[in-house]
Amino acid sequence: MSGIPANRDSFGSRFGVIAATAGSAIGLGNIWRFPYVAGENGGGAFLIIYLGFILLIGIPVMLSEFTIGRSAQRNVFGSFRKLAPGKPWYLIGLMGVGAAFMILAFYTAVAGWTLEYIFQSVINGFEGLSSNQLNDMFYSFIGTPWRPLLWFFVFMALTGAIIMSGVQKGIEKYTKILMPMLLVLLFILVVRSVTLPGAASGISFLFKPDFSKITPTTILEALGQAFFSLSIGMGTLITYGSYIQKNDNLGNTAVSVAFADTFIAILAGLAIFPAVFAFGIEPGSGEGLVYITLPNIFLQMPGGYIFSLMFFILLGVAALTSTISVLEVIVAFFSEELGLKRKAATWLATSSVSILGVMCVLSSSTMADVKIFGFTVFNLMNFTSANILLPLGGFFIVIFVAWFLGRDGAKEELSNQGKLKVRYIPFYMFVIKFLAPLAIAFIFLQGVGLINFS
Ligand code: TRP
């Protein structure tokens, strides 16, 4: 345990905590995935269920991660080992580090695409292309090895550079600049989108509840989306929680972050769907919506050049404040458990993740035929982390707080050693003892196909 300095780095301000944590939560999950999933699953009806899950399960899991991290003051592995010495709970921590490797590998690959699209926006590379040509452009870009590889490494280097600078001088400093910038960019895009003639049908596509589209699968999609979007289930928020100061109010922080994450997801929907409908384009599938459909719209829109540039910068910024949070899980682990300096830990983490990352990038080109359990490496990382490791991690995290730390342990941390009133404790305990684990077990079993309700 030689790696833990007497003065562990921490966030310096309340705004810094919110910026960093909301920065982790707000990412490709909000801007790229949420609008499409919501649109396809009954719009407003999906939204109601999603909001219910954020409140009833997401916030309690988030609070449990903060509680573990802040009381242990360690990385995800070290936290479990410190709070439960000699017990096998540290395995949950190891699983979290493993999930971080997998998420970072494929997520950075997708994040790298945003850099190509920022570049194309700058050089006006979409100019004069038809819908089909834009489609070809996307698939030929991801289908050749060297360009996506280059952008992957650039994105990984940006992530590593911020992490190397530390928690306060790196993560906090940059998220405090990037998150307000993201909000401004998104507001401008929303105003542009909802004032287009014909925007109303896009707004109703997003908000009008269509309960006939609600199936058991929709409900599971909503829970999975809530997990991924809030960055819960693998210890990102245990790690960030360990940097939150002892006098901060964890309950308020969790509620603010969940609110910000949901707000941004809805704003992203409002930036995308009105424009999609105003130009009479079919709302396409996940990756196509952002990288194929939107350039189409920007081409037809007055001032499209600048809006296209803003949109892809927005997407890149959102992804960057998320990749740093995942890298920090691994770097905190390496530095505290292997006793490495932050710089060495960052080099070791970025280079080892890059081995897996390169395989994810090449999954659309030279390694497209390499299949493991029928998945390309990219899809295997994507599937296993989101559908298996996150729900499993979330399940054990709430069980750990509910049944191992217990009511007294949780109350001690959440009330800042008795200084805050925490009237929500009885409700919170009920949720993490019963409601959350049962609900999570349900998605997990459905996700791996052991039960099937759809
Ligand atoms: N929440 C981020 C998004 O919506 C992605 C992310 C960051 C994440 N850290 C995570 C997802 C930890 C799961 C676990 O894009």
Side-chain angles (χ1 to χ4, degrees), residues 346-392:
T346 309
W347 274 109
L348 181 63
T350 47
S351 41
S352 47
V353 170
S354 293
I355 298 172
L356 200 57
V358 165
M359 293 193 259
C360 290
V361 173
L362 296 181
S363 292
S364 340
S365 54
T366 37
M367 286 180 62
D369 295 328
V370 178
K371 297 278 169 68
I372 303 159
F373 307 120
F375 290 111
T376 61
V377 178
F378 181 101
N379 286 331
L380 185 71
M381 297 303 119
N382 187 350
F383 178 90
T384 318
S385 60
N387 295 340
I388 298 181
L389 300 181
L390 292 187
L392 214 56

Side-chain angles (χ1 to χ4, degrees), residues 280-433:
I281 290 166
E282 276 295 298
S285 62
E287 58 180 35
L289 186 63
V290 164
Y291 293 98
I292 302 167
T293 313
L294 288 186
N296 239 312
I297 292 167
F298 293 134
L299 274 182
Q300 299 175 45
M301 194 187 257
Y305 176 86
I306 194 77
F307 290 113
S308 157
L309 190 59
M310 280 200 294
F311 179 79
F312 289 110
I313 291 175
L314 167 78
L315 201 60
V317 165
L320 183 61
T321 56
S322 298
T323 52
I324 60 177
S325 73
V326 188
L327 182 60
E328 180 61 23
V329 171
I330 307 172
V331 168
F333 170 73
F334 282 167
S335 64
E336 293 178 355
E337 303 304 322
L338 305 181
L340 296 177
K341 290 248 162 55
R342 192 166 186 89
K343 198 170 159 191
T346 309
W347 274 109
L348 181 63
T350 47
S351 41
S352 47
V353 170
S354 293
I355 298 172
L356 200 57
V358 165
M359 293 193 259
C360 290
V361 173
L362 296 181
S363 292
S364 340
S365 54
T366 37
M367 286 180 62
D369 295 328
V370 178
K371 297 278 169 68
I372 303 159
F373 307 120
F375 290 111
T376 61
V377 178
F378 181 101
N379 286 331
L380 185 71
M381 297 303 119
N382 187 350
F383 178 90
T384 318
S385 60
N387 295 340
I388 298 181
L389 300 181
L390 292 187
L392 214 56
F395 178 83
F396 284 114
I397 284 165
V398 288
I399 296 280
F400 181 78
V401 174
W403 302 97
F404 188 85
L405 288 185
R407 186 195 158 95
D408 293 344
K411 191 170 176 187
E412 173 81 359
E413 195 57 48
L414 291 170
S415 68
N416 297 352
Q417 285 70 43
K419 289 187 211 67
L420 296 176
K421 281 217 173 73
V422 278
R423 279 192 220 92
Y424 58 82
I425 288 283
F427 175 67
Y428 167 69
M429 290 311 293
F430 168 77
V431 170
I432 63 171
K433 276 185 167 168

Side-chain angles (χ1 to χ4, degrees), residues 133-151:
Q133 285 169 321
L134 284 169
N135 191 66
D136 293 347
M137 179 178 169
F138 176 70
Y139 289 105
S140 67
F141 161 64
I142 65 168
T144 48
W146 73 269
R147 278 181 94 95
L149 272 181
L150 170 77
W151 293 126

Side-chain angles (χ1 to χ4, degrees), residues 17-27 30 179 229 240 256-257 260-261 321-322:
V17 171
I18 303 273
T21 314
S24 170
I26 296 163
N30 303 59
M179 293 312 288
S229 192
Y240 272 18
S256 313
V257 170
D261 186 65
T321 56
S322 298

